[in-house]
Amino acid sequence: MSKHLKNISVVATATVLSRVLGLVRDTLSAAIFGASLLNTAFLSAFRLPNLFRRLLGEGALTAAFLPNLQEELHANGRPGAFALLNKVASWLLLVTGALSALLMTVFSQSRRFPGHDEIWYVLADLSVILVPYVVFVCLAAAFSATLQVFQRFLEPALSPIWLNLAMIVTLGGAGLHFATTKLGEIHWLCAGVLIGGFLQMAVPAAALIWREGWRPRFDLGLSPRLRDIALLMAPGLWGTAIYQVNTYVSSLLAVSINDSAGTWMFYANRLMELPIGVFAIAVSTVIYPLLSQHAVERNFTALAEDFRKGIRLILIINVPAAAGLALLSEPIVRLLFERHQFTVVDTQATAQLLAIYVLGLPFFSVVSLTVRAFYSVKNTKAPVRVATFDFVVNLGLSLILMRWLGAAGLVIASTVAIITQTLLLQRALAGALPGMSLVPLVPDIGKILTATAAMSAVVWGGTLLIGRLALAGKLGDLLAVAGLIPVACAVYGGLLWLLKIEGREDFEALLAKIRARF
């Protein structure tokens, strides 16, 4: 397990860097554009290629491709695995290229239909520019999944960094120097998305070519494994990315509320996803190939053990992260975003949405690994059934609650939907596979909740104390974020250690190896 923790730490460290750069990118765009019509239109347009990225790339493709690639590697070695990769990459290029051309054609005709609010036309115009990102990022997902099967996790983890760097450079550099209008700056930001997408594809491809010996070849030939991937992907398009579908639907509904609601929701969601990206996705990335390997070997006891270890690690991080984000939502948002065009009103609205979003954070994190457990044994029916019900719950509640609560109603709906999805998926998983129940984790969950409650009391007391100091400017926010978070982590970690949380010996072994190197 210490080896897997090392891989998780590699992915998590790279992801931390990526998320920090992502916050820099979001802070920059918030300062330049604020919660304006233009920013809401860009963020909504950017969600579309990201949705297809999750549908065709990181979601359904990875879930369907990785276990089949694992089987091919087990049966025919690297030559067979590379041959399968060539087929998958070729079909991906063809399908995503055709899809991009179709969407660009459709969106380019939007101004032929007058009578709508301007934000919808701007959204359509920006979508025409951003849709080709789908091609790059879906190919990147196939290359990254292959590297993960070969136990290379660094290059896939670095992938988002190239996107964030490209967007920061094009907006903060070229955009501010060469653009003469806000729309021109947005166009430079769109260029950064496309440049970053190309780098996301090129870097893992280069690692496969130079480090692993892959020889790219355009191959549209069919094979039994390719058919298996297609059959798994078809329902997977719906089953693995329902949260992103719900988020995209919510963003479109937010556009109809006011010009700022979509921006508030985007930034709140980005902050909520920070601990997910840093640790939950890192755990899922490392654990999923193991689950697939155990499934190939029909070792369901090991599969269940690694699944529960992954869930425990996810909950250890994301339960206290949710509590901390809720308690510190306003100082975090104010410190990161409130400047220039991003106003006090924007801060208060975004912080409120963040406090609601984080209630679903632990559940979203668990869903990520639970769906992968289903796909490791090529079971797609249960995730699809649950996803369909989840979509109905989210849409129904959204249409009802947004009428009285606005953007907050949309966030409440998505939070209820993700909690429902988690409970239904776990119930189905426990019934479908032996030993997959989370009941053995109940004592650990109790310890996590106890430590989180103590940590929350410390944070709450600390915020009251800092509030009484009446510090000037954002000094109080900086003290709350930079001072209370390390203290909270120390209190939480110390209590978990005293409560003897299961699995701490794995951390001890990892720390011992690190100390031995120095």
Side-chain angles (χ1 to χ4, degrees):
M1 187 63 186
S2 61
K3 177 184 176 182
H4 305 320
L5 285 174
K6 180 180 178 181
N7 289 332
I8 290 170
S9 67
V10 168
V11 177
T13 301
T15 308
V16 166
L17 177 58
S18 168
R19 295 292 172 163
V20 169
L21 290 172
L23 287 177
V24 172
R25 180 196 85 191
D26 292 339
T27 300
L28 183 63
S29 64
I32 294 172
F33 304 114
S36 62
L37 176 153
L38 200 57
N39 200 17
T40 296
F42 168 78
L43 296 174
S44 299
F46 190 33
R47 282 190 187 277
L48 181 62
N50 273 308
L51 172 62
F52 281 104
R53 181 195 75 189
R54 300 293 178 92
L55 289 172
L56 295 175
E58 296 173 359
L61 173 66
T62 300
F65 178 45
L66 198 146
N68 278 282
L69 188 64
Q70 191 78 259
E71 289 180 357
E72 186 67 28
L73 181 65
H74 186 75
N76 299 308
R78 291 190 172 221
F82 287 144
L84 182 60
L85 172 61
N86 282 329
K87 288 181 171 61
V88 168
S90 300
W91 278 103
L92 265 181
L93 179 61
L94 182 66
V95 171
T96 57
L99 176 64
S100 297
L102 175 63
L103 290 174
M104 291 171 70
T105 301
V106 171
F107 285 121
S108 67
Q109 305 303 308
S110 66
R111 295 188 183 272
R112 292 177 178 270
F113 303 92
H116 299 285
D117 294 336
E118 179 63 19
I119 190 171
W120 293 104
Y121 298 116
V122 178
L123 193 159
D125 293 342
L126 296 179
S127 296
V128 174
I129 303 172
L130 292 172
V131 159
Y133 176 70
V134 173
V135 179
F136 298 134
V137 80
C138 287
L139 286 171
F143 301 150
S144 295
T146 305
L147 287 170
Q148 289 164 14
V149 167
F150 293 153
Q151 296 296 298
R152 294 186 65 92
F153 295 98
L154 180 60
E155 291 87 353
L158 290 174
S159 180
I161 291 176
W162 313 126
L163 175 67
N164 290 325
L165 282 175
M167 294 176 72
I168 290 170
V169 170
T170 54
L171 177 59
L176 291 181
H177 283 86
F178 300 119
T180 57
T181 65
K182 290 296 181 185
L183 183 59
E185 291 171 350
I186 282 287
H187 285 159
W188 274 104
L189 189 57
C190 292
V193 172
L194 298 181
I195 294 169
F198 175 79
L199 293 174
Q200 285 181 289
M201 174 193 70
V203 171
L208 282 170
I209 293 170
W210 295 332
R211 298 292 183 87
E212 303 297 332
W214 174 50
R215 294 295 176 264
R217 186 167 64 89
F218 191 74
D219 182 4
L220 293 178
L222 301 177
S223 70
R225 293 210 191 278
L226 189 66
R227 293 189 187 94
D228 287 344
I229 292 171
L231 289 174
L232 280 173
M233 278 189 69
L237 292 174
W238 185 247
T240 60
I242 187 60
Y243 178 78
Q244 284 71 33
V245 172
N246 285 337
T247 300
Y248 183 65
V249 170
S250 296
S251 71
L252 293 181
L253 292 174
V255 170
S256 66
I257 295 174
N258 58 54
D259 291 345
S260 300
T263 300
W264 298 335
M265 289 179 63
F266 179 86
Y267 289 137
N269 186 259
R270 287 280 293 173
L271 290 173
M272 187 273 288
E273 287 187 348
L274 179 62
I276 295 173
V278 169
F279 202 78
I281 300 302
V283 171
S284 297
T285 298
V286 174
I287 295 295
Y288 184 39
L290 289 175
L291 300 183
S292 298
Q293 181 179 339
H294 294 324
V296 169
E297 298 169 351
R298 311 297 292 175
N299 188 350
F300 294 111
T301 300
L303 189 151
E305 289 176 357
D306 281 340
F307 173 73
R308 281 195 292 272
K309 286 178 181 178
I311 294 293
R312 184 189 300 113
L313 287 171
I314 287 171
L315 293 177
I316 284 173
I317 298 298
N318 283 284
V319 171
L325 280 171
L327 290 168
L328 297 174
S329 58
E330 191 160 329
I332 288 174
V333 173
R334 186 162 46 240
L335 192 62
L336 289 174
F337 300 126
E338 190 181 303
R339 55 184 56 82
H340 302 301
Q341 300 299 315
F342 201 89
T343 66
V344 174
V345 173
D346 298 325
T347 293
Q348 293 172 344
T350 304
Q352 179 190 49
L353 298 182
L354 174 60
I356 302 171
Y357 260 129
V358 295
L359 296 175
L361 193 158
F363 298 93
F364 180 87
S365 305
V366 169
V367 163
S368 176
L369 187 58
T370 305
V371 170
R372 283 169 168 79
F374 276 108
Y375 273 75
S376 68
V377 293
K378 301 184 179 181
N379 181 338
T380 60
K381 293 181 180 179
V384 169
R385 286 197 302 267
V386 172
T388 301
F389 183 75
D390 187 61
F391 177 77
V392 173
V393 169
N394 180 71
L395 182 60
L397 285 177
S398 293
L399 293 173
I400 295 170
L401 296 178
M402 67 180 285
R403 301 172 67 179
W404 293 286
L405 301 175
L410 297 177
V411 176
I412 292 171
S414 67
T415 302
V416 171
I418 193 64
I419 293 173
T420 303
Q421 184 185 14
T422 305
L423 297 176
L424 292 178
L425 276 176
Q426 185 52 45
R427 179 182 177 185
L429 183 64
L433 292 174
M436 296 297 282
S437 170
L438 295 184
V439 172
L441 292 182
V442 169
D444 293 320
I445 293 173
K447 294 173 183 178
I448 291 169
L449 293 176
T450 300
T452 299
M455 180 208 76
S456 299
V458 170
V459 173
W460 180 71
T463 55
L464 291 179
L465 180 61
I466 291 172
R468 292 179 180 177
L469 297 177
L471 298 173
K474 295 181 181 178
L475 189 58
D477 299 324
L478 181 61
L479 182 59
V481 174
L484 289 179
I485 289 178
V487 172
C489 290
V491 170
Y492 176 75
L495 279 174
L496 275 190
W497 210 262
L498 290 175
L499 292 171
K500 297 182 179 180
I501 188 78
E502 187 175 343
R504 73 174 190 170
E505 63 279 359
D506 296 319
F507 287 99
E508 291 174 341
L510 178 62
L511 291 173
K513 288 184 178 181
I514 294 174
R515 285 194 298 267
R517 292 184 178 182
F518 296 95

